[in-house]
Every structure is written in structure tokens, then in C-alpha cells.
């Protein structure tokens, strides 16, 4: 029953054109997430590819909430999620192989960030602590 309710919530939050593309039975949300309606089509495609690689995820953040200034979240380009069928480490490795991705990061609490922004950047660490970065400009930028 709970899966049916979650699938109905996901379907209600998605634009009609995107519903056929997202495997709604493999996505759940934390209560503060209002759905995927604010995300760009490229981000929805990234979610579909990600779920196909790692299995079910729980989305912890999309466009709402508090993020860093100029965050990809505010542009509809990013999600934070918790993998439900694999480890965060394996989810990060899978996310780094996605065709259309920008930043990939993970936090010590098991949450993973993936975006479709212009820069390819990776990190691990706490939100406001020193992080280890690896930056590569996409398309020579």
C-alpha cells in the first residue's frame, strides 16, 4: 500500500511529459521534498539513468530548502538522495559514470549529491567543513 501511495505522489508531482520516463516505483521522498516538478528535463533524465544503475533511491532535496548561494538546486539541476539498495560509495561511483552529469558529491551521513551543471566537480565531506575537491572543466571551459 505504501509503495502505491508513493507512486501516486510521484506521478502527481511530475509534469505529464516526464511521467513515462521516471520509474516511480523506485523513488521515494523525505517529507520536506515537494516532488520533482521543479526539475529540468535533463535532471529527470539523469535520475532515470541513475535509478537504472543503482536501484531505488530516497530523494532528500530538490529545488526547495536551504542550499549554497548559486546552488544547482535552485536552477532545477540537482538532487540530493540516499541510495536504498547500495552503499553511498557505490552510488557515487555509478553517478560519476552518468553521461549527463556535472557535480557529484557525498556527505558523511550517506547522502549523495548529483547535478547536471556545467562543471564536473566531485567532493566528499561535511557541508560546512573542509572538503576534498576534484575539478575538471567540461568542454574545455
Amino acid at each position: 500500500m505504501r509503495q502505491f501511495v508513493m507512486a501516486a505522489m510521484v506521478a502527481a508531482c511530475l509534469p505529464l511529459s516526464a511521467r513515462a520516463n521516471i520509474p516511480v516505483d523506485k523513488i521515494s521522498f523525505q517529507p520536506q521534498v515537494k516532488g520533482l516538478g521543479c526539475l529540468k528535463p535533463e535532471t529527470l533524465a539523469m535520475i532515470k539513468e541513475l535509478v537504472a544503475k543503482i536501484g531505488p533511491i530516497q530523494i532528500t532535496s530538490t529545488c526547495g530548502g536551504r542550499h549554497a548561494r548559486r546552488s544547482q538546486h535552485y536552477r532545477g539541476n540537482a538532487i540530493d538522495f540516499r541510495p536504498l539498495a547500495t552503499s553511498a560509495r557505490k552510488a557515487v561511483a555509478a553517478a560519476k559514470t552518468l553521461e549527463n552529469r556535472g557535480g557529484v558529491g557525498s556527505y558523511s551521513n550517506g547522502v549523495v549529491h548529483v547535478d547536471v551543471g556545467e562543471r564536473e566537480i566531485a567532493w566528499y565531506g561535511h557541508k560546512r567543513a573542509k572538503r576534498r575537491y576534484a575539478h575538471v572543466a567540461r568542454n574545455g571551459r
Side-chain angles (χ1 to χ4, degrees):
M1 178 68 174
R2 185 174 181 197
Q3 280 185 322
F4 176 75
V5 172
M6 284 296 196
M9 287 176 51
V10 170
C13 296
L14 288 174
L16 192 56
S17 62
R19 289 181 192 170
N21 296 330
I22 300 293
V24 295
D25 59 326
K26 294 189 177 188
I27 299 173
S28 62
F29 300 97
Q30 283 192 339
Q32 73 273 13
V33 178
K34 304 300 183 215
L36 303 175
C38 64
L39 298 176
K40 292 187 177 176
E42 304 86 36
T43 311
L44 295 172
M46 177 198 61
I47 293 170
K48 179 182 177 186
E49 187 180 354
L50 181 68
V51 168
K53 287 184 181 239
I54 68 167
I57 62 173
Q58 179 183 50
I59 296 179
T60 61
S61 181
T62 56
C63 306
R66 292 177 39 177
H67 302 286
R69 194 174 5 165
R70 295 187 296 272
S71 170
Q72 293 294 329
H73 286 279
Y74 294 130
R75 298 178 185 145
N77 290 337
I79 65 165
D80 293 341
F81 69 94
R82 184 169 278 112
L84 300 177
T86 189
S87 68
R89 178 178 284 186
K90 289 179 182 174
V92 167
K96 288 180 179 179
T97 67
L98 297 176
E99 185 176 324
N100 186 22
R101 63 112 179 141
V104 176
S106 66
Y107 301 103
S108 59
N109 63 357
V111 172
V112 178
H113 167 96
V114 182
D115 68 60
V116 293
E118 302 221 350
R119 296 187 308 161
E120 290 182 12
I121 189 167
W123 74 88
Y124 171 80
H126 299 283
K127 287 185 176 181
R128 291 177 178 83
K130 293 182 181 179
R131 297 179 180 168
R132 287 181 264 162
Y133 286 99
H135 170 72
V136 177
R138 186 185 292 181
N139 300 328
R141 289 184 245 173

